[in-house]
Amino acid sequence: MTGSWTRRGFLGLSAAALAAGTAACTGATAPSGGSNAGKTPTSNNLRLFTYEDDTTIGNLKTAVAAFDAQNGTTTRVDSLPGSGAAVYPDKLRAELLGGSGPDVWRIWGGQIGAPFVKAQQAMDLAPYYQQYGWDSKINTNAIAGMTFNGTKAGVPIVVAAIGAWYSKAAMEKAGISSTPKSYAELEEMNDKLVASGTTPVTLGGKYGWDIMRLFEYLLEVSAGPDLHDKLLTGAESWDRPEVVTAFTNFKKWQDKKWLPNGALGLDPSDVEPDYVTGKAAYTLTGTWTEAQAIQSAKKSSSDFGTFQLPTGHTPERHSGFVEGYMIGARSGNPDKAAALLDYLLKPDLQATLQITSSTVTGAEPDKTKLPLSYEWTEINKTSPFYTIQDQAFPKQQADQYFSVQSDVLQGKMSPADAAKQMQTVVSAMAKQ
């Protein structure tokens, strides 16, 4: 599962460069749409490329070996752990361009996975969705995250959601008895927390991606789902009142001390656990925090809570992202590759693989061991997500966006000028 503390590193990829490079050089055939299905495989050898962590790669290899024993295949599993999107996708791209690419690879959605589809290096998996009934077994919202311009090019295995995680003690100290149901109530909650001597939300501005979670939420509130999505794709201009409002509120959160002092210079890995240690009331993060921050600190999950940030819109969405597997368009044995993916999607195997944000029905986190993560499994079933912004933008645009949000918080740029500047940034993306 992708941890929040290394997230920006995971997403440090020039997706635009990927798209341009692959489109120009690969000469790959069109996504087969399962057109290889039924053809005699060139061999029963498969290769799976992933960025599985060293702590869990053994589980994956054991599972794959069991599949091989049952299916007469020989699958080599290669992992590049910890490199994130700064390295892993470039390594994958180089292999694909060199003709030695894997049959199956793990990848993120959004502008990280999209270039492999645009370059026609990943298969259209629609026939396999039908063959294995994946549409009825996998979270629909997660499938949407691995669908690119209508092409189901990936099978999602992780669906991550960003929400508020809070200390019940901090809330009680401030006299807060319930979580906010509207943005206005969230602001009122922040004021009460400040008055009680507690920093409301702990976020770090170093690297840009952590504090971004606040701005993208504020944009969802001011713009609403339809306009927010159009802004991310450049279909609507950012130079508009809804964006100005979001940047105005963004600055407000800092000026009213709802963020930590000097938030822009803080490292997310240092401040995210502050809601667990009592230095802050809550943070904006994903389900990994239950094991990494709460339980690793020997705290009980019962002393903490989580809630979806209220947006005031229908549908009420949250920030999220997906990770999944793709099959190479040049794979010599796509049927066995698809069978391997179906095998890995078995609910009991998902638990063995320690996937706590599984997309598979029946593979939800153990409610008794990870009760708060389980809550998000239920939220994910009914609440769609908007693509987290550092996955929605190519790296170049993400870095420029981070600069804009930093300038706003430092008072170097007005919200109105920030909206204009973002339109310039996104316009350049559309021309790439």
Side-chain angles (χ1 to χ4, degrees), residues 3-12 203-213 250 262-272 389-390 395 397-406:
S4 65
W5 301 346
T6 57
R7 172 134 185 79
R8 186 58 222 158
F10 278 10
L11 299 174
L203 292 168
K206 189 176 181 181
Y207 312 122
W209 55 262
D210 192 40
I211 209 164
M212 166 207 73
R213 295 170 179 172
F250 192 48
L264 272 177
L266 299 178
D267 191 315
S269 62
D270 293 334
V271 299
E272 184 167 302
Q389 287 187 343
D390 58 354
K395 184 178 184 298
Q397 279 68 40
D399 288 345
Q400 292 172 329
Y401 155 59
F402 293 155
S403 178
V404 169
Q405 69 177 12
S406 175

Side-chain angles (χ1 to χ4, degrees), residues 379-390:
I379 292 172
N380 269 332
K381 291 179 180 177
T382 57
S383 173
F385 65 85
Y386 52 88
T387 303
I388 197 167
Q389 287 187 343
D390 58 354

Side-chain angles (χ1 to χ4, degrees), residues 5-242:
W5 301 346
T6 57
R7 172 134 185 79
R8 186 58 222 158
F10 278 10
L11 299 174
L13 163 72
S14 174
L18 260 179
T22 51
C25 303
T26 181
T29 57
S32 68
S35 62
N36 283 341
K39 294 182 178 178
T40 302
T42 55
S43 77
N44 271 335
N45 295 330
L46 293 172
R47 179 169 171 251
L48 186 153
F49 190 32
T50 182
Y51 42 84
E52 194 81 29
D53 190 76
D54 287 339
T55 61
T56 54
I57 187 64
N59 298 331
L60 178 61
K61 288 184 175 179
T62 299
V64 170
F67 171 84
D68 284 345
Q70 296 172 14
N71 294 275
T73 50
T74 300
T75 303
R76 175 180 146 195
V77 178
D78 294 326
S79 188
L80 193 61
S83 62
V87 176
Y88 174 83
D90 283 343
K91 169 70 172 171
L92 173 60
R93 175 174 63 96
E95 289 192 7
L96 291 170
L97 293 175
S100 61
D103 298 275
V104 176
W105 63 80
R106 183 165 173 168
I107 197 69
W108 297 268
Q111 288 300 316
I112 299 179
F116 296 97
V117 185
K118 185 177 181 181
Q120 302 181 345
Q121 294 170 316
M123 289 184 64
D124 179 354
L125 302 184
Y128 295 125
Y129 268 84
Q130 183 174 11
Q131 178 178 345
Y132 292 109
W134 289 338
D135 281 312
S136 61
K137 299 176 180 176
I138 301 174
N139 180 304
T140 301
N141 294 323
I143 292 174
M146 275 286 166
T147 301
F148 305 87
N149 290 326
T151 300
K152 292 178 177 175
V155 177
I157 57 170
V158 169
V159 56
I162 303 297
W165 291 69
Y166 66 94
S167 160
K168 291 182 179 178
M171 296 294 194
E172 291 172 2
K173 178 184 174 185
I176 299 166
S177 57
S178 62
T179 55
K181 300 299 185 294
S182 67
Y183 178 69
E185 288 185 9
L186 179 62
E187 288 198 339
E188 292 172 7
M189 184 183 83
N190 288 341
D191 280 335
K192 289 181 179 178
L193 288 165
V194 170
S196 72
T198 302
T199 299
V201 62
T202 178
L203 292 168
K206 189 176 181 181
Y207 312 122
W209 55 262
D210 192 40
I211 209 164
M212 166 207 73
R213 295 170 179 172
L214 172 60
F215 178 77
E216 65 182 4
Y217 161 65
L218 296 172
L219 186 60
E220 177 76 3
V221 172
S222 62
D226 184 59
L227 178 57
H228 189 172
D229 287 347
K230 290 179 178 177
L231 290 170
L232 294 181
T233 62
E236 290 286 354
S237 172
W238 283 69
D239 186 10
R240 59 189 314 123
E242 294 89 346

